[in-house]
Each structure stands twice: as structure tokens, then as C-alpha cells.
């Protein structure tokens, strides 16, 4: 699994949190429209707060399903979440899509989960039931360029998830 390239992650240090948060909320709203039952599947855990901590980006994304809202914090900030998952950014995206086995990643220590495990399991089950496809679901934001954006994002996803990293020797 490829990590976000450090050289490409550097500009994220310069992105103001309000802009990152506005963007994250726009993307969340698009996902909720495309998958309207996503948060309803959480049942009693809908009121919980879920933190996603990419280890290769300087942000923490805290999702509040009851409010259908994302709060973005700098990476070292306390998030006040009920349940947290930490791992490489692309791995977190693949988990959202149900493309990777979260249990296997947890037991191999590629992924760290803390807090309310029952809530995190409910979220995983909700995501698995939704058939999220991020390139397709989010490409519509690109208007007439949606087909090109979807194809490009799908190719990047394929390379990140399924190709062996190349060594620099």
C-alpha cells in the first residue's frame, strides 16, 4: 500500500484548516446524497464522532454522522472522537470503499483503531453496505470533466492499491 508521497504532502501544511474543512464537508455532502442511508445504518452509533487520522497528511478528519458534518483539525490536535482509526491516507480511503479487509489490517498493525470498537464496527458495516466508489461518486463535482476525472481517479486508485511499490536503486 502506497503512502501519500511526502513531497506532495508538504503543500497540505499550508492549506488553512477552514478551506480543508469546507472541502471535506462538500465531499461528505456529495457522498450522503449518493448514499442516503449511509448514516442511518449506524443505528445507535449515529450520534458518535469518528476520527480518521491519516499518518501521511497533517490533518485529522472528525465525522459527526448525526450532523452530517466533518471537522478538520491539524494532525496533532485532540479530536474528542468516540472512535478513531489511524493509517495511511490511501488505506483509509480504500477502507471507506470496502476494498480492503479492515480486520486483517488491524491485526497486521497497518491500521490502528481506538475508542469505541462497537461504534467502529457499526461504521465499517455501514460502509460495506453502501458500495461507495469514490472516483465515480465524487467525479460529478467536476461537471463536464466528470468522466475524465473518474477514469483518472480510478487509475490512481488501482496503482496505489494494487501495484507493488518500486524501489529506487
Amino acid at each position: 500500500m502506497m503512502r501519500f508521497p511526502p513531497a506532495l504532502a508538504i503543500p497540505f501544511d499550508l492549506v488553512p484548516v477552514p478551506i480543508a474543512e469546507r472541502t471535506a464537508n462538500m465531499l461528505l455532502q456529495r457522498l450522503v446524497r449518493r448514499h442516503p442511508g449511509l448514516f442511518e445504518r449506524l443505528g445507535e452509533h449515529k450520534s458518535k464522532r469518528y476520527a480518521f487520522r491519516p499518518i501521511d497528511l497533517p490533518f485529522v478528519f472528525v465525522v459527526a454522522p448525526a450532523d452530517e458534518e466533518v471537522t478538520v483539525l491539524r494532525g496533532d490536535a485532540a479530536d474528542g472522537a468516540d472512535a478513531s482509526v489511524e493509517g495511511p491516507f490511501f488505506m483509509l480511503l480504500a477502507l471507506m470503499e470496502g476494498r480492503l479487509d479492515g480486520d486483517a489490517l488491524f491485526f497486521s498493525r497497518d491500521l490502528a483503531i481506538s475508542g469505541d470498537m462497537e461504534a467502529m464496527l457499526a461504521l465499517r458495516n455501514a460502509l460495506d453496505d453502501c458500495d461507495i466508489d469514490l472516483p465515480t461518486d465524487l467525479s460529478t463535482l467536476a461537471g463536464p470533466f466528470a468522466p475524465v476525472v473518474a477514469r483518472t481517479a480510478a487509475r490512481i486508485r488501482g496503482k496505489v492499491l494494487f501495484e507493488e511499490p518500486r524501489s529506487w536503486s
Side-chain angles (χ1 to χ4, degrees), residues 55-137:
I55 61 173
D56 42 5
L57 288 179
F59 296 118
V60 176
F61 302 91
V62 182
V63 178
D67 300 326
E68 295 183 1
E69 182 177 271
V70 179
T71 301
V72 176
L73 307 165
R74 286 286 169 199
D76 57 351
D79 56 44
D82 297 292
S84 297
V85 60
E86 183 176 299
F89 178 70
F90 292 121
M91 184 180 293
L92 296 176
L93 292 179
L95 285 169
M96 185 185 321
E97 291 184 314
R99 294 185 180 275
L100 296 176
D101 180 355
D103 293 339
L105 293 169
F106 173 74
F107 288 114
S108 68
R109 296 188 177 159
D110 290 318
L111 190 66
I113 300 172
S114 60
D116 187 336
M117 294 298 179
E118 201 173 309
M120 194 56 77
L121 181 59
L123 179 62
R124 186 189 86 177
N125 290 338
L127 290 169
D128 286 349
D129 289 345
C130 279
D131 296 322
I132 292 173
D133 180 342
L134 291 173
T136 300
D137 292 345

Side-chain angles (χ1 to χ4, degrees), residues 27 30-35 38 92-99 126-141 146-147 149-158 161-162:
L27 297 174
R30 176 62 53 146
L31 283 177
V32 169
R33 277 196 298 278
R34 301 242 342 156
H35 305 279
L38 171 63
L92 296 176
L93 292 179
L95 285 169
M96 185 185 321
E97 291 184 314
R99 294 185 180 275
L127 290 169
D128 286 349
D129 289 345
C130 279
D131 296 322
I132 292 173
D133 180 342
L134 291 173
T136 300
D137 292 345
L138 300 179
S139 67
T140 57
L141 293 170
V149 169
R151 280 192 306 274
T152 303
R155 284 185 63 199
I156 291 169
R157 176 181 61 203
L161 293 180
F162 304 114

Side-chain angles (χ1 to χ4, degrees), residues 4 10 14 39 42 56 74 77 139 146 166:
F4 204 88
I10 291 171
L14 304 174
F39 292 142
L42 291 172
D56 42 5
R74 286 286 169 199
S139 67
R166 295 183 183 153

